Amino acid sequence: MIIQCYNLEKKAPQQQHHLLKAQSFHIQKGEMLAIQGRSGAGKTTLLNILALLDQPSAGQYYLENKNVSTLDATEIQYQRQHTFGYIFQQYWLIEHLNVLDNICLPLQYLANPNQHDHQHLTEILNVLGLNDYLKRYPQQLSGGQQQRVSIARALVCNPKIILADEPTGALDQENSEKILALLAKINTQLGTTIIMVTHDAEVASKCQRQYRIETA
Amino acid sequence: MSTSIPYRDSMNKHDAKIKPVYYNCWQEAIKSLWQQKLRTLLVGCAITVAATVVFCLLGLYQQASHAVQQTLNQLAKPGLAVVSIQPKPYTQRPQLSLKDAKLKLTKLIPQSKWTGVINQYSNGQNGMNKIKFHHIISPINFQKLRQLSVTQGRLFHPLDMAQNRFCVIGQRIAEKVKQQQPHQWPYYLSIKGRIHTVIGILEPTNFIIGMPDINSSVITLIDEQQINQNVLDYLLIDTSKSIEGKNITALISRIQKQYPEYQLQYHDARLLTQGLQQGLQKLQFLLICICIASLVIAGSSISNSLLASVLERRNEIGIRIALGAKPQDIRKIFLCETWIICLLSCIICVFLGSTLMILINGILKTPQLDINSILSTAAISSLITTGIATLAAAYPANKASKTLPIQLIKKST
């Protein structure tokens, strides 16, 4: 098991209502999972907790059999860097960095960024069709192009788990299929675990398993 | 790993040339500052103003303390007694006999090159305070006045003479003066708005100057050699060699008896030095207070600008942390940016501050600061403002770097 979650809950700060109330679930290594649920069910909140960007109010979360509540700041930072690649729903690109710099940003925080495989980066850019936009800034790109940059950034460190929050939400049919095919290939050939939040039943059907969150 | 990458097939040779640029924190800071020009300008202005204020205040303090220190160095010799001299009021001085008065005047006159301006008095109806002189004869050599007789006189002091306010009057004028000023000698005349002391009355029989009516004349005495140069303001008595410090009072008493027309006051050089030192310390304290007040105002402006900068970029901080940035990576970004702005601001401050100092020196007519003083002042002011800016940037950046990234991202939306 790469991820084990037991009754994860998240309450809004200084309020009583739940943002998330998830039943226990496990994710196998190399699995491709779709998380589904109504709006406000807490899908993105769950994804944030899984990516160690947020902390649950209650419940247990084990990452590679380690309880994350016992991890210190350095270990959490290491896990964010090496274990997860996060594709944000709203892209979250840095405005003053161009496309190439945005994509390479996670590499800068590695212990030795210069030893990273440049070929790997080149391949990602090629597959995502970003070669023509490398010098452009985020505000000069369309939503779909920004989404592709966000995906490239998540893939650049070759993470063990890719967390994708509506990865095809801003893309057209053709690009959606390309991205899904790419994620499926990464999953099957590299054994990368992929956890994807989606509304789209068709997209979810391409995953090996679906996990549904009921409204909190 | 590279052989197992599934999308390697799609790579071509051209794509292999693409290489990412790994910026270090300095390069990234420069890039970020350049992208956010307005923010950079505002923060830079705040830091420049703060550094320039500190620079100018420190420069002024150095100049002031240098001037006072020079005086102190002169006074702070061991065993030096300072005796101030004040002439006694004219009325308290011993009255001279006619003979002595003549002698004194005749002795004094040849010692300096006096000239007299003879002013003829037209009528005394307007009163002596409004005396008018309509017949001004060109200056004559006062040596000739030696031959004049003086009827009355009183000892006068070199300090009085330095003011060039003496006159000799004719008999008719003297009668008018005596009517208006029934008291005893000395008499005073207001000539062109300035009070003149009458040091002698011309005898009516004297016609050497050739004045048609010497009895109605006033001769104003003018010292051409500016006798005030030779007038002492204070005596410096070196008590370390021949006189014990405690005997200085006795010495001064002896001098006082010898010269009763002087009023001697003894001041201990050490006390004077201490007084000046205290004055300097007060000045220092005042300047430090102004400096601190300026720094607090400028520092809050810097803090505000940098805090706004950090708050504005919470989203960026959150993304960077989510992508694996360590707290020190976040701190580095903001510190590098701050230090770059500080460097540029301090360079501007040196030029701006030096120009201001030159202007202030020109207005106050004080000596210029030497290059070492300017450099040390610039270094101190730069260090202080950089320190404030560093604290102002480090605190919010440090706080943000320890926050959960999702909170930072949510707050920014």
Side-chain angles (χ1 to χ4, degrees):
Chain A
M1 298 284 177
I2 195 161
I3 288 173
Q4 296 161 274
C5 293
Y6 300 99
N7 303 319
L8 286 180
E9 282 181 23
K10 180 72 183 177
K11 279 181 183 173
Q14 297 171 343
Q15 287 179 28
Q16 289 303 311
H17 75 271
H18 284 84
L19 295 173
L20 167 71
K21 209 168 183 180
Q23 291 178 337
S24 301
F25 65 93
H26 307 279
I27 299 171
Q28 299 284 349
K29 193 176 178 185
E31 197 175 358
M32 189 165 176
L33 174 80
I35 298 175
Q36 288 185 290
R38 286 183 180 179
S39 292
K43 303 183 292 292
T44 302
T45 306
L46 177 61
L47 214 59
N48 289 335
I49 291 170
L50 295 181
L52 303 179
L53 304 183
D54 205 352
Q55 287 173 336
S57 309
Q60 301 291 319
Y61 169 26
Y62 290 87
L63 178 67
E64 294 180 316
N65 299 319
K66 267 188 181 175
N67 189 342
V68 295
S69 63
T70 62
L71 300 179
D72 62 18
T74 314
E75 286 171 314
I76 287 175
Q77 181 266 330
Y78 181 86
Q79 295 294 349
R80 281 181 196 144
Q81 201 173 48
H82 293 91
T83 308
F84 298 106
Y86 201 122
I87 302 166
F88 293 96
Q89 188 178 8
Q90 289 162 294
Y91 329 129
W92 296 130
L93 303 177
I94 293 174
E95 295 294 315
H96 66 263
L97 298 181
N98 64 27
V99 168
L100 184 61
D101 294 340
N102 263 294
I103 293 170
C104 295
L105 196 58
L107 299 178
Q108 290 192 36
Y109 300 123
L110 295 175
N112 196 348
N114 288 315
Q115 284 184 355
H116 192 77
D117 185 3
H118 291 177
Q119 296 284 52
H120 177 63
L121 170 70
T122 313
E123 287 157 8
I124 292 168
L125 295 176
N126 204 17
V127 169
L128 291 168
L130 291 169
N131 286 317
D132 297 334
Y133 314 115
L134 294 180
K135 295 289 173 192
R136 288 196 192 174
Y137 286 88
Q139 59 269 31
Q140 297 169 323
L141 301 175
S142 69
Q145 287 165 339
Q146 288 189 52
Q147 180 69 298
R148 279 186 276 160
V149 176
S150 176
I151 293 168
R153 187 177 63 184
L155 298 176
V156 76
C157 281
N158 206 12
K160 291 179 191 170
I161 303 170
I162 292 173
L163 300 161
D165 192 359
E166 301 278 5
T168 57
L171 302 180
D172 56 28
Q173 185 68 27
E174 191 186 340
N175 277 316
S176 291
E177 284 174 9
K178 269 188 185 178
I179 296 299
L180 287 172
L182 174 69
L183 290 174
K185 267 189 179 180
I186 291 168
N187 174 247
T188 51
Q189 294 189 20
L190 285 178
T192 307
T193 308
I194 293 175
I195 304 166
M196 190 192 303
V197 164
T198 181
H199 274 109
D200 194 334
E202 195 183 334
V203 173
S205 68
K206 293 188 178 171
C207 297
Q208 295 157 5
R209 189 159 67 97
Q210 288 84 40
Y211 173 74
R212 189 162 190 87
I213 306 179
E214 296 307 322
T215 306
Chain B
M1 187 197 78
S2 59
T3 51
S4 63
I5 292 175
Y7 34 82
R8 183 171 289 285
D9 301 341
S10 58
M11 187 188 77
N12 58 44
K13 284 181 183 176
H14 174 73
D15 296 333
K17 290 177 185 173
I18 300 167
K19 282 191 176 180
V21 180
Y22 299 113
Y23 294 107
N24 61 33
C25 53
W26 294 104
Q27 288 170 315
E28 196 173 331
I30 291 167
K31 207 174 163 69
S32 166
L33 291 174
W34 183 249
Q35 289 287 326
Q36 306 287 337
K37 294 183 194 74
L38 183 63
R39 191 184 66 207
T40 308
L41 188 70
L42 290 174
V43 177
C45 281
I47 297 173
T48 307
V49 168
T52 309
V53 166
V54 176
F55 182 94
C56 290
L57 286 174
L58 286 176
L60 284 173
Y61 171 69
Q62 279 196 353
Q63 276 192 333
S65 62
H66 181 69
V68 175
Q69 201 61 48
Q70 275 186 334
T71 313
L72 288 179
N73 290 341
Q74 284 177 353
L75 287 173
K77 290 174 186 170
L80 196 71
V82 178
V83 181
S84 72
I85 303 169
Q86 289 295 323
K88 282 185 176 173
Y90 206 91
T91 50
Q92 290 179 16
R93 293 178 202 163
Q95 190 163 359
L96 301 177
S97 64
L98 185 62
K99 189 183 168 189
D100 288 343
K102 278 182 188 174
L103 191 66
K104 191 84 181 173
L105 191 60
T106 357
K107 271 186 180 176
L108 270 169
I109 289 164
Q111 281 175 5
S112 56
K113 290 180 181 175
W114 291 78
T115 57
V117 179
I118 300 178
N119 312 280
Q120 194 151 27
Y121 173 60
S122 58
N123 59 69
Q125 290 171 2
N126 293 329
M128 299 314 290
N129 290 334
K130 293 178 183 174
I131 193 165
K132 287 184 180 177
F133 302 94
H134 69 275
H135 189 73
I136 298 172
I137 300 168
S138 57
I140 57 163
N141 190 338
F142 199 73
Q143 291 289 341
K144 291 178 183 176
L145 284 177
R146 291 176 67 186
Q147 300 168 42
L148 296 175
S149 300
V150 175
T151 53
Q152 278 181 287
R154 194 178 277 261
L155 191 64
F156 51 90
H157 189 267
L159 281 177
D160 298 333
M161 285 166 47
Q163 295 170 1
N164 288 335
R165 291 183 187 179
F166 291 94
C167 63
V168 183
I169 56 176
Q171 284 284 358
R172 202 167 298 154
I173 303 283
E175 283 167 19
K176 295 274 181 189
V177 171
K178 282 174 187 172
Q179 282 171 13
Q180 290 191 357
Q181 300 174 33
H183 55 76
Q184 288 296 310
W185 190 274
Y187 302 121
Y188 301 99
L189 281 182
S190 173
I191 303 171
K192 293 183 182 177
R194 298 179 75 186
I195 298 293
H196 284 63
T197 310
V198 179
I199 60 166
I201 299 169
L202 298 167
E203 285 187 352
T205 52
N206 196 309
F207 297 101
I208 292 171
I209 297 172
M211 292 289 296
D213 187 6
I214 194 74
N215 293 336
S216 300
S217 296
V218 175
I219 300 173
T220 313
L221 304 180
I222 297 169
D223 178 10
E224 285 182 340
Q225 285 192 329
Q226 294 181 333
I227 197 168
N228 57 337
Q229 286 180 358
N230 300 320
V231 173
L232 296 176
D233 289 329
Y234 54 88
L235 286 175
L236 292 175
I237 302 167
D238 191 349
T239 57
S240 61
K241 291 177 183 172
S242 54
I243 306 159
E244 289 291 323
K246 52 189 171 185
N247 292 332
I248 189 72
T249 316
L251 172 74
I252 289 163
S253 300
R254 283 208 301 277
I255 299 171
Q256 185 74 76
K257 277 180 190 168
Q258 200 172 344
Y259 301 97
E261 69 270 27
Y262 296 121
Q263 216 167 28
L264 302 179
Q265 282 184 316
Y266 165 61
H267 304 282
D268 193 331
R270 282 176 306 172
L271 292 175
L272 282 178
T273 310
Q274 280 172 6
L276 282 168
Q277 288 278 19
Q278 283 172 355
L280 191 62
Q281 281 171 358
K282 281 177 188 167
L283 180 69
Q284 185 180 16
F285 180 73
L286 177 73
L287 280 173
I288 287 171
C289 287
I290 297 170
C291 232
I292 289 170
S294 312
L295 280 174
V296 166
I297 295 164
S300 49
S301 170
I302 295 168
S303 307
N304 189 34
S305 305
L306 290 170
L307 183 65
S309 165
V310 174
L311 292 177
E312 187 190 306
R313 295 168 69 183
R314 272 190 302 205
N315 181 24
E316 182 190 329
I317 297 171
I319 296 165
R320 285 177 186 271
I321 295 172
L323 296 175
K326 294 182 275 295
Q328 55 263 41
D329 292 324
I330 303 299
R331 280 197 297 270
K332 260 188 212 169
I333 294 169
F334 289 97
L335 289 179
C336 288
E337 286 185 17
T338 308
W339 287 335
I340 289 168
I341 299 177
C342 283
L343 179 72
L344 295 174
S345 301
C346 290
I347 290 169
I348 296 169
C349 155
V350 170
F351 288 106
L352 195 65
S354 306
T355 313
L356 276 173
M357 285 303 296
I358 290 165
L359 283 174
I360 291 168
N361 284 333
I363 293 165
L364 299 178
K365 294 177 181 171
T366 48
Q368 296 289 333
L369 278 175
D370 60 21
I371 189 73
N372 287 336
S373 300
I374 287 178
L375 287 177
S376 61
T377 310
I380 293 167
S381 56
S382 301
L383 279 174
I384 291 171
T385 40
T386 305
I388 289 176
T390 303
L391 286 176
Y395 174 70
N398 192 43
K399 201 176 170 187
S401 68
K402 289 177 179 171
T403 313
L404 277 173
I406 205 67
Q407 286 177 5
L408 294 167
I409 294 169
K410 274 181 184 171
K411 273 180 188 170
S412 66
T413 51

